């Protein structure tokens, strides 16, 4: 919104006046999304917390307890879907069913009508894809439709660190080059992979999503952490 309607200096000046308490109102001006605070008590069950996260489409929530001295609420931790899945991957004792069923068998992931881009597409155009389609990642393909990389919302943070928020017309190839040397890369899987193997990948790599590819390494779907959690508890 700011990039399309203001100069960079005007946008920075305007955003510089926005306090955190007014951030929810700012979000509602630009797109429809939930802005309620999501929290749970540390004594709630993992099942209850998981259902709450899936119902609200949040990736994490705050664990809030009462301070015994003051009686006020205190955030004691933040619990994410990744941490829940990591716990399950380590502690589920009976892994037989996890090894028997594939992503296809369990209908895990989003398939069809994938939003993709190529290396020459500008960053601002990909950001518009995020906003218009309510997604957080876009697979980047070569001229033959093979997955080369992905551009995620987290990559925008790298642009901010480099002071490039006023240069969002650069091709995505330049933005991807800003990633640190230890960036874990693109994680993919096939529909025939088992739920067990996907959980193992999540545990070992701290991946936030998997790109589902066919035998030609062309994208057919995306598996998000919430998809895996939903398959395990519902």
């Amino acid at each position: 919104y700011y990039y399309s309607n203001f100069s960079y200096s005007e946008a920075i000046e305007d955003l510089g006046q926005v306090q955190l308490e007014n951030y929810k109102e700012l979000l509602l001006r630009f797109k429809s999304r939930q802005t309620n605070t999501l929290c749970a008590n540390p004594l709630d069950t993992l099942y209850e917390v998981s259902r709450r996260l899936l119902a609200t489409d949040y990736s994490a929530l705050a664990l809030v307890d009462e301070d015994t001295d003051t009686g006020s609420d205190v955030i004691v931790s933040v619990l994410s879907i990744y941490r829940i899945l990591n716990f399950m991957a380590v502690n589920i004792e009976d892994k037989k069913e996890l090894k028997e069923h594939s992503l296809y068998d369990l209908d895990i992931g989003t398939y069809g009508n994938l939003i993709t881009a190529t290396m020459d597409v500008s960053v601002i155009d990909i950001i518009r894809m995020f906003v218009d389609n309510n997604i957080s990642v876009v697979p980047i393909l070569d001229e033959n439709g093979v997955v080369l990389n992905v551009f995620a919302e987290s990559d925008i943070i790298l642009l901010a660190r480099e002071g490039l928020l006023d240069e969002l017309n650069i091709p995505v190839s330049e933005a991807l080059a800003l990633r640190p040397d230890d960036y874990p890369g693109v994680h993919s899987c096939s529909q025939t992979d088992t739920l067990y193997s996907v959980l193992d990948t999540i545990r070992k790599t701290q991946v936030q999503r998997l790109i589902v590819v066919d035998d030609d390494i062309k994208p057919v779907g995306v598996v998000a952490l919430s998809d895996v959690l939903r398959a395990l508890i519902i």
Side-chain angles (χ1 to χ4, degrees), residues 90-102:
V90 173
N91 291 281
I92 293 179
E93 295 182 359
D94 185 6
K95 295 183 171 63
K96 181 180 179 181
E97 290 193 14
L98 300 182
K99 296 179 179 180
E100 288 181 345
H101 297 289
S102 68

Side-chain angles (χ1 to χ4, degrees), residues 65-79:
D65 205 353
E66 183 179 298
D67 188 309
T68 54
D69 294 329
T70 64
S72 58
D73 289 339
V74 177
I75 296 178
V76 296
S77 185
V78 174
L79 184 61

